[in-house]
Amino acid sequence: EAAVTQSPRSKVAVTGGKVTLSCHQTNNHDYMYWYRQDTGHGLRLIHYSYVADSTEKGDIPDGYKASRPSQENFSLILELASLSQTAVYFCASSMTGGARNTLYFGAGTRLSVL
Amino acid sequence: SQLAEENLWALSVHEGESVTVNCSYKTSITALQWYRQKSGEGPAQLILIRSNEREKRNGRLRATLDTSSQSSSLSITATRCEDTAVYFCASNYGNEKITFGAGTKLTIKP
Protein backbone atom coordinates (compact mmCIF):
# COMPACT_ATOMS: atom_id res chain seq x y z
CA GLU A 1 0.00 0.00 0.00
CA ALA A 2 3.10 2.25 0.18
CA ALA A 3 2.55 5.24 -2.08
CA VAL A 4 6.26 5.84 -2.83
CA THR A 5 8.27 2.72 -3.52
CA GLN A 6 12.01 2.65 -4.02
CA SER A 7 14.12 -0.11 -5.49
CA PRO A 8 16.46 -1.61 -4.67
CA ARG A 9 16.38 -1.14 -0.89
CA SER A 10 20.11 -1.63 -0.72
CA LYS A 11 22.90 -1.92 -3.23
CA VAL A 12 26.63 -2.44 -3.30
CA ALA A 13 28.37 -0.92 -6.31
CA VAL A 14 31.96 -0.77 -7.49
CA THR A 15 33.79 2.48 -8.03
CA GLY A 16 33.40 3.63 -11.62
CA GLY A 17 30.33 1.50 -12.23
CA LYS A 18 26.89 2.68 -13.25
CA VAL A 19 24.09 2.69 -10.69
CA THR A 20 20.39 3.30 -11.24
CA LEU A 21 18.00 3.89 -8.36
CA SER A 22 14.31 3.69 -9.13
CA CYS A 23 11.25 5.30 -7.60
CA HIS A 24 7.57 4.71 -8.27
CA GLN A 25 4.68 6.70 -6.81
CA THR A 26 0.96 6.02 -6.82
CA ASN A 27 -0.03 9.39 -5.32
CA ASN A 28 -0.78 10.97 -8.71
CA HIS A 29 1.58 13.77 -7.70
CA ASP A 30 3.26 16.09 -10.17
CA TYR A 31 6.46 16.65 -8.18
CA MET A 32 9.09 14.06 -7.42
CA TYR A 33 12.41 14.48 -5.64
CA TRP A 34 15.66 12.69 -4.93
CA TYR A 35 17.40 13.46 -1.63
CA ARG A 36 20.63 12.17 -0.23
CA GLN A 37 21.15 11.61 3.50
CA ASP A 38 24.52 11.55 5.21
CA THR A 39 25.08 11.63 8.93
CA GLY A 40 25.25 15.23 10.12
CA HIS A 41 23.92 16.69 6.88
CA GLY A 42 20.27 15.90 7.04
CA LEU A 43 18.63 15.56 3.63
CA ARG A 44 20.11 17.32 0.62
CA LEU A 45 18.23 17.74 -2.65
CA ILE A 46 19.90 16.23 -5.71
CA HIS A 47 17.30 16.54 -8.50
CA TYR A 48 13.59 17.08 -8.75
CA SER A 49 10.92 17.04 -11.44
CA TYR A 50 7.50 18.63 -11.83
CA VAL A 51 6.46 17.01 -15.10
CA ALA A 52 7.29 13.90 -17.11
CA ASP A 53 10.29 14.14 -19.43
CA SER A 54 11.73 17.10 -17.53
CA THR A 55 14.10 17.29 -14.55
CA GLU A 56 15.60 20.14 -12.55
CA LYS A 57 18.83 20.43 -10.60
CA GLY A 58 18.68 20.55 -6.85
CA ASP A 59 21.36 21.73 -4.47
CA ILE A 60 23.94 18.96 -5.06
CA PRO A 61 23.44 17.66 -8.64
CA ASP A 62 27.08 17.02 -9.56
CA GLY A 63 27.76 13.37 -10.34
CA TYR A 64 24.06 12.52 -10.68
CA LYS A 65 21.54 12.42 -13.49
CA ALA A 66 17.80 12.02 -13.22
CA SER A 67 15.12 10.68 -15.53
CA ARG A 68 11.33 11.09 -15.35
CA PRO A 69 9.84 8.94 -18.10
CA SER A 70 6.32 9.12 -16.70
CA GLN A 71 4.41 10.85 -13.91
CA GLU A 72 4.79 7.76 -11.73
CA ASN A 73 8.47 6.98 -12.23
CA PHE A 74 11.62 8.89 -11.35
CA SER A 75 15.14 7.44 -11.54
CA LEU A 76 18.48 8.60 -10.19
CA ILE A 77 21.52 7.62 -12.23
CA LEU A 78 25.13 7.54 -11.14
CA GLU A 79 27.10 7.11 -14.37
CA LEU A 80 30.47 6.71 -12.62
CA ALA A 81 29.89 5.81 -9.01
CA SER A 82 32.42 7.13 -6.51
CA LEU A 83 33.20 6.38 -2.89
CA SER A 84 31.81 9.76 -1.86
CA GLN A 85 28.38 8.76 -3.16
CA THR A 86 27.95 6.16 -0.44
CA ALA A 87 24.81 7.34 1.35
CA VAL A 88 21.12 6.65 1.86
CA TYR A 89 18.95 7.98 -0.97
CA PHE A 90 15.32 8.97 -0.54
CA CYS A 91 12.70 9.60 -3.16
CA ALA A 92 9.68 11.74 -2.37
CA SER A 93 6.60 13.09 -4.10
CA SER A 94 4.33 16.09 -3.54
CA MET A 95 1.23 17.43 -5.19
CA THR A 96 2.89 20.71 -6.16
CA GLY A 97 6.09 22.53 -5.23
CA GLY A 98 6.86 24.82 -2.31
CA ALA A 99 6.79 24.64 1.46
CA ARG A 100 2.99 24.47 1.68
CA ASN A 101 3.01 20.98 0.22
CA THR A 102 3.68 17.78 2.10
CA LEU A 103 6.46 15.54 0.88
CA TYR A 104 5.75 11.81 0.97
CA PHE A 105 8.91 9.76 1.21
CA GLY A 106 9.87 6.25 0.26
CA ALA A 107 11.73 3.96 2.64
CA GLY A 108 15.13 4.76 1.15
CA THR A 109 17.91 2.99 -0.72
CA ARG A 110 21.17 2.34 1.08
CA LEU A 111 24.01 2.59 -1.44
CA SER A 112 27.54 1.46 -0.65
CA VAL A 113 30.22 2.19 -3.22
CA LEU A 114 33.37 0.11 -2.76
CA SER B 1 24.60 25.93 3.56
CA GLN B 2 21.47 25.07 5.46
CA LEU B 3 18.55 27.44 4.99
CA ALA B 4 16.76 25.88 7.96
CA GLU B 5 18.60 24.45 10.92
CA GLU B 6 17.72 22.71 14.13
CA ASN B 7 19.56 24.15 17.09
CA LEU B 8 20.73 20.97 18.78
CA TRP B 9 22.21 17.78 17.39
CA ALA B 10 20.82 15.51 20.08
CA LEU B 11 18.41 15.51 23.01
CA SER B 12 17.31 12.91 25.48
CA VAL B 13 14.50 12.88 28.02
CA HIS B 14 12.73 10.29 30.11
CA GLU B 15 9.44 8.83 29.02
CA GLY B 16 6.51 10.97 30.10
CA GLU B 17 8.49 14.21 30.12
CA SER B 18 8.01 17.04 27.63
CA VAL B 19 10.63 18.12 25.14
CA THR B 20 11.11 20.94 22.66
CA VAL B 21 13.13 20.94 19.46
CA ASN B 22 14.06 24.32 18.01
CA CYS B 23 14.73 25.44 14.47
CA SER B 24 16.00 28.67 12.96
CA TYR B 25 15.82 29.82 9.36
CA LYS B 26 17.51 32.54 7.39
CA THR B 27 15.00 34.50 5.30
CA SER B 28 11.27 34.91 4.86
CA ILE B 29 9.30 31.73 4.27
CA THR B 30 5.78 30.82 3.19
CA ALA B 31 5.55 27.85 5.53
CA LEU B 32 7.65 25.57 7.68
CA GLN B 33 7.29 21.84 8.07
CA TRP B 34 8.34 19.43 10.80
CA TYR B 35 9.23 15.86 9.88
CA ARG B 36 10.07 12.82 11.97
CA GLN B 37 12.31 10.01 10.78
CA LYS B 38 12.40 6.74 12.67
CA SER B 39 15.31 4.39 12.28
CA GLY B 40 15.25 2.61 8.93
CA GLU B 41 12.35 4.65 7.56
CA GLY B 42 11.82 7.68 5.38
CA PRO B 43 10.80 10.99 6.97
CA ALA B 44 7.13 11.59 7.63
CA GLN B 45 5.53 14.98 8.06
CA LEU B 46 4.21 15.86 11.51
CA ILE B 47 3.04 19.45 11.15
CA LEU B 48 2.95 22.12 8.45
CA ILE B 49 2.68 25.67 9.81
CA ARG B 50 2.09 28.58 7.45
CA SER B 51 3.75 31.97 7.78
CA ASN B 52 0.49 33.59 8.93
CA GLU B 53 0.03 31.04 11.73
CA ARG B 54 1.67 31.27 15.13
CA GLU B 55 0.81 27.85 16.48
CA LYS B 56 -0.38 24.49 15.16
CA ARG B 57 -1.25 21.36 17.09
CA ASN B 58 -1.42 17.70 16.20
CA GLY B 59 -2.28 15.51 19.18
CA ARG B 60 0.67 15.64 21.59
CA LEU B 61 2.64 17.81 19.18
CA ARG B 62 2.64 21.59 19.12
CA ALA B 63 4.55 23.71 16.63
CA THR B 64 5.12 27.43 16.90
CA LEU B 65 6.40 29.90 14.36
CA ASP B 66 7.95 33.28 15.17
CA THR B 67 8.58 35.16 11.95
CA SER B 68 10.18 38.11 13.75
CA SER B 69 12.98 35.94 15.17
CA GLN B 70 12.86 33.52 12.21
CA SER B 71 12.49 30.54 14.45
CA SER B 72 10.16 27.62 15.06
CA SER B 73 9.76 25.06 17.79
CA LEU B 74 8.22 21.62 18.02
CA SER B 75 7.09 20.50 21.45
CA ILE B 76 6.11 16.96 22.38
CA THR B 77 4.24 16.34 25.61
CA ALA B 78 3.93 13.06 27.49
CA THR B 79 6.72 11.53 25.44
CA ARG B 80 6.74 7.81 24.65
CA CYS B 81 9.53 5.47 23.65
CA GLU B 82 8.15 5.45 20.11
CA ASP B 83 8.86 9.18 19.84
CA THR B 84 12.55 8.27 19.60
CA ALA B 85 13.55 9.55 16.16
CA VAL B 86 15.33 12.30 14.28
CA TYR B 87 13.28 15.47 13.91
CA PHE B 88 13.78 17.84 10.99
CA CYS B 89 12.47 21.24 10.13
CA ALA B 90 12.13 22.07 6.45
CA SER B 91 11.11 25.00 4.32
CA ASN B 92 11.73 26.77 1.03
CA TYR B 93 12.72 30.29 0.10
CA GLY B 94 10.43 31.48 -2.64
CA ASN B 95 11.15 28.55 -4.92
CA GLU B 96 10.04 24.96 -5.34
CA LYS B 97 12.91 23.33 -3.49
CA ILE B 98 12.35 22.13 0.04
CA THR B 99 15.45 22.41 2.22
CA PHE B 100 15.90 20.34 5.37
CA GLY B 101 17.91 21.06 8.47
CA ALA B 102 20.51 18.60 9.74
CA GLY B 103 18.06 17.18 12.25
CA THR B 104 17.86 16.71 16.01
CA LYS B 105 18.18 13.17 17.31
CA LEU B 106 15.70 12.68 20.14
CA THR B 107 16.02 9.72 22.47
CA ILE B 108 13.25 8.85 24.91
CA LYS B 109 14.62 6.85 27.83
CA PRO B 110 12.41 4.36 29.72
Side-chain angles (χ1 to χ4, degrees):
Chain A
E1 182 176 294
V4 179
T5 306
Q6 294 182 230
S7 62
R9 290 296 315 277
S10 66
K11 184 172 181 64
V12 178
V14 295
T15 304
K18 182 176 181 178
V19 177
T20 300
L21 307 183
S22 299
C23 179
H24 178 80
Q25 57 107 350
T26 58
N27 294 324
N28 198 31
H29 286 167
D30 286 332
Y31 280 71
M32 295 187 74
Y33 311 81
W34 277 106
Y35 284 89
R36 166 180 173 152
Q37 185 171 39
D38 302 274
T39 303
H41 284 90
L43 293 134
R44 293 182 289 176
L45 182 63
I46 306 170
H47 286 289
Y48 68 100
S49 168
Y50 55 84
V51 68
D53 296 322
S54 178
T55 63
E56 305 293 330
K57 293 181 179 180
D59 297 320
I60 55 164
D62 292 346
Y64 302 94
K65 291 184 180 180
S67 173
R68 182 94 181 267
S70 64
Q71 186 194 41
E72 299 81 14
N73 296 293
F74 193 36
S75 297
L76 185 68
I77 304 153
L78 290 65
E79 295 278 3
L80 295 170
S82 66
L83 294 172
S84 64
Q85 293 177 312
T86 292
V88 180
Y89 293 85
F90 287 96
C91 176
S93 74
S94 68
M95 190 174 298
T96 61
R100 296 187 177 190
N101 293 278
T102 301
L103 269 63
Y104 296 88
F105 283 86
T109 296
R110 184 173 296 275
L111 175 65
S112 296
V113 182
L114 306 177
Chain B
S1 64
Q2 296 288 345
L3 301 183
E5 296 183 1
E6 300 78 9
N7 295 348
L8 278 180
W9 169 242
L11 283 172
S12 68
V13 298
H14 285 99
E15 193 172 20
E17 294 178 340
S18 297
V19 66
T20 297
V21 180
N22 295 302
C23 167
S24 59
Y25 57 92
K26 296 183 179 179
T27 62
S28 62
I29 58 173
T30 57
L32 186 136
Q33 303 183 37
W34 283 97
Y35 285 80
R36 175 175 63 193
Q37 183 180 25
K38 295 187 176 183
S39 180
E41 300 179 3
Q45 190 195 72
L46 299 173
I47 292 180
L48 186 156
I49 184 165
R50 298 172 185 249
S51 58
N52 61 349
E53 298 175 311
R54 292 296 170 258
E55 178 180 303
K56 198 89 171 274
R57 293 178 182 267
N58 179 7
R60 297 181 294 111
L61 308 176
R62 172 177 171 261
T64 64
L65 183 64
D66 184 340
T67 53
S68 63
S69 64
Q70 297 185 338
S71 64
S72 176
S73 68
L74 176 71
S75 297
I76 308 173
T77 58
T79 54
R80 306 167 181 167
C81 286
E82 54 261 38
D83 293 326
T84 292
V86 179
Y87 291 79
F88 297 97
C89 62
S91 188
N92 72 331
Y93 293 84
N95 57 35
E96 305 167 305
K97 300 187 288 186
I98 306 297
T99 300
F100 284 75
T104 294
K105 184 176 182 179
L106 175 64
T107 301
I108 309 300
K109 297 178 286 187

